[in-house]
Amino acid sequence: MMRKPIIIGNWKMNKSIHDSIIFIDELGKDSFEIEVGIAPQMITLPIVNEVKGNVLVGAQNANDHLEGAYTGEVSIALLQEINSDFCIVGHSERRQYYNETNKSVNDKTKLLLDAKIMPVVCVGESLEEYEAGKTNEVIKEQINNSLADVSIADCVVAYEPVWAIGTGKTATTQTAQEVCKFIREELAKMYSQEEADKVRIQYGGSVKPSNIGELMACPDIDGALVGGASLEIASFKELINY
Ligand code: PEP
C-alpha cells in the first residue's frame, strides 16, 4: 500500500504576519515528493494562502458548531471560504487547556470532511498514562471516540505522546512504530483493513532533522507533525528532505 508521506509544521502561537509570509513564500517555491504543510496562526491563513505555492496551508483548530453565538471562535465554513487545505483537531494543548473532548474532536472531524478540508486528528497519552503502561488503552479510547463514523481514508491521524511534545524527549522509534501500528489495527477493526491501510499516520513529539529519517523508515509511520523544528526554515527544509 503506497501512502504519500505528509509532514506538517504546527507553528502554534508563533511568528508575525511578515515572518509567516517570508517563510511560506520561500518554502512554497520548492517542489516536494511528499506533502508538506504549515499550520500558521489563524489570522495569517488567508494572507499566506496567496504565496503558498507547493505548500499546504491549514488551521490549528476550528469550532465544532456550524455557526452561532460562540464568541472568539472560527467556523469551519470560514476555513472552507479561505481554502484551508487541512485543519488540526484534538491537539493535546487544546485537549489540555481548552477542554477539547473526543466528542468535539469527532464533531469537528465530520464537519471538516463535509467541507472537504482534511482533518489531522491528534491522539496521545500523558506521561502519567505512559508510565502506568496505559498507552494502548488511552489511544484505543481516543481513536474509537474521535474517529467514529467518518470517512477514515480522508483523515490523517497524528500520534503525539504528550510527554514528548516540546520536551526534547522522543518516543523511541520502536515505540512510535508500535503505537502507530496499534492505531492502524484499531482502525481496521472499526472500518476494514483496506480502509485502515489508506490512512496516513503521523508521529509527533520532538521530531528533528536528526531523528526524522529513522521514524519515516517505519512501516506504519507516514509522516510527522512538527512543532519546534518547523519554526526555522533551515531545520524544516532539512527535515522534509529526510
Ligand atoms: C506538536 O506540538 O505537535 C509537536 C509535536 O511539538 P514539538 O515538535 O515541538 O514536540
Side-chain angles (χ1 to χ4, degrees):
M1 164 64 61
M2 280 302 290
R3 293 180 292 264
K4 192 164 191 177
I6 178 163
I7 296 182
I8 292 176
N10 172 14
W11 283 353
K12 310 188 183 187
M13 208 170 69
N14 293 296
K15 285 200 189 292
S16 66
I17 295 178
H18 175 263
D19 291 352
S20 303
I21 296 171
I22 304 273
F23 188 120
I24 292 180
D25 186 36
E26 182 182 335
L27 186 66
K29 292 192 174 98
D30 290 356
S31 51
F32 317 107
E33 283 169 28
I34 63 168
E35 279 180 23
V36 174
I38 294 285
Q41 294 192 67
M42 188 76 88
I43 213 162
T44 68
L45 260 180
I47 304 168
V48 296
N49 238 343
E50 303 288 320
V51 297
K52 69 181 178 182
N54 294 319
V55 177
L56 302 176
V57 171
Q60 299 171 14
N61 178 43
N63 193 263
D64 53 344
H65 296 88
L66 270 180
E67 59 181 356
Y70 301 100
T71 302
E73 290 293 281
V74 171
S75 71
I76 287 169
L78 219 59
L79 288 188
Q80 188 181 30
E81 207 175 322
I82 60 161
N83 297 317
S84 183
D85 295 306
F86 65 89
C87 179
I88 299 171
V89 277
H91 190 279
S92 61
E93 285 152 16
R94 298 220 50 97
R95 289 181 188 259
Q96 194 180 343
Y97 306 139
Y98 303 98
N99 303 321
E100 190 133 323
T101 62
N102 289 328
K103 161 91 173 75
S104 67
V105 172
N106 189 235
D107 290 345
K108 291 179 190 195
T109 303
K110 288 176 179 166
L111 290 177
L112 286 165
L113 289 166
D114 288 346
K116 305 263 177 292
I117 299 171
M118 179 172 70
V120 178
V121 180
C122 303
V123 294
E125 81 285 9
S126 66
L127 181 61
E128 215 180 7
E129 290 160 343
Y130 171 71
E131 285 178 346
K134 291 187 173 160
T135 299
N136 285 7
E137 192 185 314
V138 172
I139 298 295
K140 183 182 166 73
E141 203 209 332
Q142 290 179 342
I143 291 289
N144 283 320
N145 295 308
S146 303
L147 288 167
D149 304 318
V150 298
S151 166
I152 194 66
D154 298 320
C155 299
V156 170
V157 180
Y159 166 55
E160 298 206 303
V162 180
W163 49 271
I165 296 179
T167 58
K169 290 182 193 159
T170 323
T172 62
T173 307
Q174 191 193 348
T175 305
Q177 160 57 23
E178 275 168 13
V179 180
C180 291
K181 181 169 180 276
F182 176 74
I183 290 172
R184 204 178 300 288
E185 286 165 358
E186 281 304 307
L187 294 175
K189 283 187 214 156
M190 292 167 70
Y191 296 93
S192 67
Q193 190 63 54
E194 196 187 349
E195 286 302 288
D197 283 341
K198 293 180 192 158
V199 180
R200 292 180 294 176
I201 303 178
Q202 298 176 312
Y203 168 77
S206 300
V207 174
K208 308 178 270 294
S210 58
N211 58 21
I212 184 77
E214 56 178 271
L215 287 164
M216 293 302 289
C218 296
D220 287 287
I221 299 179
D222 308 305
L225 188 54
V226 187
S230 70
L231 290 170
E232 294 294 329
I233 193 146
S235 67
F236 192 59
K237 279 191 174 184
E238 210 185 317
L239 211 144
I240 59 185
N241 289 316
Y242 66 93

